[in-house]
Amino acid sequence: MYEIVIIGAGAAGLSAASTAIMQKPDTKILILERGNKCGRKLSASGNGKCNLTNSFFEKDCYFSNNLSFIEQFVDDNSPNDVIAFFEKCGLLVYEKDGYYYPLSDMARQVTDRLLNICASHRVVIEYDKCVLGIEPTDNFKSYLVKTTDNEYKCRKVIIATGSNSYPGLGGTECGYELIKNMDIDMTEIFPVLIPVYVDDDKLSIAQGVRINAEVTLDFGDKKIRERGQVQINNNNLSGIAIMNLSCYLPKIEQALLKDCFYIDYLPYMSWDKLKSYIKNQCLDDICDNILSVLEGIFPSKFAKYLLDKLNIDSQIITAKITEKQINKITSYIKKMRYTPLPQYDNEKSQASLGGVNIDEICADSYETRKYEGVYIVGEALDITGKCGGYNLTFAILSGIKAAQNALDNL
Ligand SMILES: Cc1cc2nc3c(=O)[nH]c(=O)nc-3n(C[C@H](O)[C@H](O)[C@H](O)COP(=O)(O)OP(=O)(O)OC[C@H]3O[C@@H](n4cnc5c(N)ncnc54)[C@H](O)[C@@H]3O)c2cc1C
C-alpha cells in the first residue's frame, strides 16, 4: 500500500511529492499521470523561462468566487516561501522588476529539478494513467485510486489535476470529471489569460505592434487599470495587460460589454502635454506630414492605424492640420475604446477561471471536507492568478501545504 498517491504530475503534484519526500525520505509515494510527460505547462511557462513568483503579492492578484480564501492565502503566504522551497530543492532564482525566474532562465530545469528529487528518493511515477475514481475503504482511513487498467490502495490522496486550459500542453477535463464523480461541487469554468478579440476592422493595419500602455476596464461603477505591454494582432489584442483584463470579462453582463475598455497608448504623457507636443511639431514644420509627426512617437504601422481610424489622410501636410484634428488624434491616443467580442480561445488560455468550490476544502490544509485524507491543490481549485507568476505560486504553495498536512496525519 502507498502512503500517498498524487494524481497529476504538474507544478502542484511535483511540488507536493518533493515536499513529502524531502521531509520524510522513506515515504511511499506514487504519482499517477494521465499523459506521457511530467510538468508540461511548468516546462513551457513564462515563454520557456518560468516566471515562478512575484514580489508584488496582494489579494488583487487573484480571482475566486471566494474572496476570503484569497485574503487568507495572501496573508498566510509570501513569494519568499516559493523562493525558499526552490532553494531547499537546490535551485536558485533571480528577480527582475519584481518577477522571479530560475537562474538558468530555463523552465525545463525547474521540472527536471523536481523530477530528480522524486527519482532519487524512489517516488514511483506511472505514465498514461488517467484516474477515473477514488473510493474510500476502511471507513475513510484508506482509498482505492482507480485508473482504466489498475487500482492502487493508499492512505492519502492529493488531487493535482490542473485545469482544462491550453489542451496543447495537456489541459484536460479529466480532472474535473473525476472530482464531479466524487460529488464535489465545482464553479463555472471560463478560459482566461487569453488574447481579447475586439470589434475593430482596422486593427490588422497595426498587426505585430507592441506598446507599453495602460488598459482601463470601465463598466458599471467599476474602473480597473492594468499597465503593461499591449500587442496588436490581426483581430485581437494580447500582451500582459490584455491577458489580465481577460480575467474580468467572463463575469461582465453582455449589455455592459459595449466599449467597456479603453487603452491609453501613451500613459506617461498627459493629454495636454501630448496635444501641445503634436501641435508644436505641426507648427515647427520639421515633419512633412502628420504621419511623420506620429512616427516620432509610435511605430509606423500604429501611426497609420490611428490615422485610418480617424479618417485623416496620412499625407496631409502639417500646416493644414486643424486644431480639431489634433484634439481628435490626442484623444484617440489617450483613450482608444474597444468592445470585446464573445470569442474565447481555450487553446491559448494560460489558466481557467473557476474550479473546485473553495467551500469543499479546508482552506488551511487543502483537505476536502467530504473525504478525510483527500486533498485538492493547484489550478483545479477555484482560484486563478494574473500573469506574473501567481498561478505557479499558488500551485506550488498549495501542493507543499497539502503534502505537509498529509505527512503529519499519516
Ligand atoms: C503557455 C503557458 C504559460 C504559463 N506561464 C506561466 C508563468 O510564467 N507563471 C505562472 O505563474 N503561471 C504560468 N502558467 C500557468 C501555470 O503553468 C499553471 O497554472 C500551473 O502549471 C498549474 O499547475 P497544476 O499542477 O495545478 O496543473 P498542471 O500543470 O496542468 O498539471 C496537472 C496534471 O494532471 C494531469 N491530469 C489531469 N487529469 C488527470 C487524471 N484524471 N489522472 C491523472 N492525471 C491527470 C495532467 O495531465 C497534468 O499533467 C502558464 C500556463 C501556460 C499554459
Side-chain angles (χ1 to χ4, degrees), residues 8 10-12 33-34 45-46 51 129 131 160-162 350 379 389 391-392:
E33 167 52 49
R34 174 183 165 270
S45 63
N51 176 202
K129 297 285 181 195
V131 174
T161 46
Q350 290 195 6
E379 216 187 296
N391 284 308
L392 284 177

Side-chain angles (χ1 to χ4, degrees), residues 98 174 176 189 209 263 283 285 288 320-321 325 339 354 371 389:
C174 296
Y176 298 154
I189 308 283
V209 168
I263 301 182
L283 290 173
D285 211 20
D288 293 345
K320 287 206 167 160
I321 287 283
Q325 283 173 320
T339 299
Y371 300 84

Side-chain angles (χ1 to χ4, degrees), residues 23 25 32 63 76 78 87 124-125 131 135 137 173 178 200 204 233 248 327 354 357 377 383 387 403:
Q23 199 165 311
L32 294 170
F63 302 86
D76 292 353
S78 103
E87 267 186 22
V124 180
I125 304 181
V131 174
E135 267 178 28
T137 53
E173 300 275 337
L178 165 70
D200 181 350
S204 59
N233 306 310
Y248 298 92
N327 281 343
N357 188 334
V377 294
I383 177 162
C387 288

Side-chain angles (χ1 to χ4, degrees), residues 53-67:
T53 191
N54 202 301
S55 57
F56 182 79
F57 190 65
E58 299 283 337
K59 59 181 183 345
D60 293 350
C61 304
Y62 287 98
F63 302 86
S64 170
N65 288 294
N66 189 322
L67 300 181

Side-chain angles (χ1 to χ4, degrees), residues 7-14 32-35 37-42 44-47 50-53 101 129-132 160-163 165-166 169-176 178 193 348-351 377-380 386 388-393 395:
I7 307 170
L14 292 175
L32 294 170
E33 167 52 49
R34 174 183 165 270
K37 275 193 198 128
C38 289
R40 287 183 68 198
K41 285 187 187 173
L42 177 61
S45 63
N47 279 330
C50 192
N51 176 202
L52 284 166
T53 191
Y101 302 91
K129 297 285 181 195
C130 184
V131 174
L132 304 173
T161 46
S163 75
S165 69
Y166 220 110
L169 289 171
T172 170
E173 300 275 337
C174 296
Y176 298 154
L178 165 70
L193 298 184
K348 298 256 174 66
S349 134
Q350 290 195 6
V377 294
E379 216 187 296
K386 289 185 177 180
Y390 300 105
N391 284 308
L392 284 177
T393 296

Side-chain angles (χ1 to χ4, degrees), residues 134-330:
I134 301 170
E135 267 178 28
T137 53
D138 312 325
N139 200 18
F140 291 83
K141 292 285 169 270
S142 58
Y143 288 91
L144 270 184
V145 178
K146 296 183 170 180
T147 63
T148 31
D149 58 359
N150 215 336
E151 55 184 43
Y152 307 82
K153 196 166 182 187
C154 63
R155 297 280 311 283
K156 309 280 178 193
V157 185
I158 299 179
I159 301 175
T161 46
S163 75
N164 61 353
S165 69
Y166 220 110
L169 289 171
T172 170
E173 300 275 337
C174 296
Y176 298 154
E177 280 157 27
L178 165 70
I179 291 163
K180 281 185 202 156
N181 285 341
M182 295 169 75
D183 201 24
I184 290 177
D185 184 43
M186 303 225 9
T187 66
E188 202 177 345
I189 308 283
F190 304 93
V192 291
L193 298 184
I194 37 173
V196 172
Y197 287 80
V198 288
D199 184 10
D200 181 350
D201 58 0
K202 308 279 188 208
L203 208 61
S204 59
I205 300 173
Q207 189 174 359
V209 168
R210 292 166 188 217
I211 296 179
N212 279 322
E214 182 177 271
V215 180
T216 303
L217 183 62
D218 181 12
F219 66 103
D221 55 357
K222 288 214 175 83
K223 267 199 171 68
I224 290 150
R225 289 210 160 84
E226 289 287 337
R227 271 198 185 190
Q229 196 176 70
V230 170
Q231 179 173 328
I232 301 179
N233 306 310
N234 187 28
N235 49 8
N236 65 62
L237 299 163
S238 61
I240 286 186
I242 295 291
M243 308 267 274
N244 284 341
L245 175 90
S246 73
C247 297
Y248 298 92
L249 297 178
K251 298 282 171 87
I252 300 180
E253 271 175 58
Q254 188 70 29
L256 297 177
L257 284 177
K258 175 108 187 76
D259 285 340
C260 75
F261 75 97
Y262 55 84
I263 301 182
D264 179 349
Y265 282 108
L266 208 61
Y268 306 100
M269 199 182 261
S270 69
W271 195 96
D272 289 340
K273 229 175 173 178
L274 177 61
K275 182 193 164 178
S276 74
Y277 172 79
I278 297 173
K279 197 172 172 182
N280 288 339
Q281 285 289 307
C282 290
L283 290 173
D284 282 353
D285 211 20
I286 291 169
C287 301
D288 293 345
N289 52 41
I290 184 64
L291 178 64
S292 169
V293 172
L294 295 178
E295 281 172 341
I297 311 175
F298 294 111
S300 182
K301 278 180 171 183
F302 186 80
K304 286 183 186 137
Y305 162 68
L306 203 61
L307 293 171
D308 215 77
K309 263 185 95 75
L310 284 163
N311 236 341
I312 295 175
D313 178 2
S314 61
Q315 297 308 314
I316 193 167
I317 56 167
T318 47
K320 287 206 167 160
I321 287 283
T322 64
E323 180 92 12
K324 202 171 159 196
Q325 283 173 320
I326 294 175
N327 281 343
K328 266 176 97 177
I329 293 170
T330 311

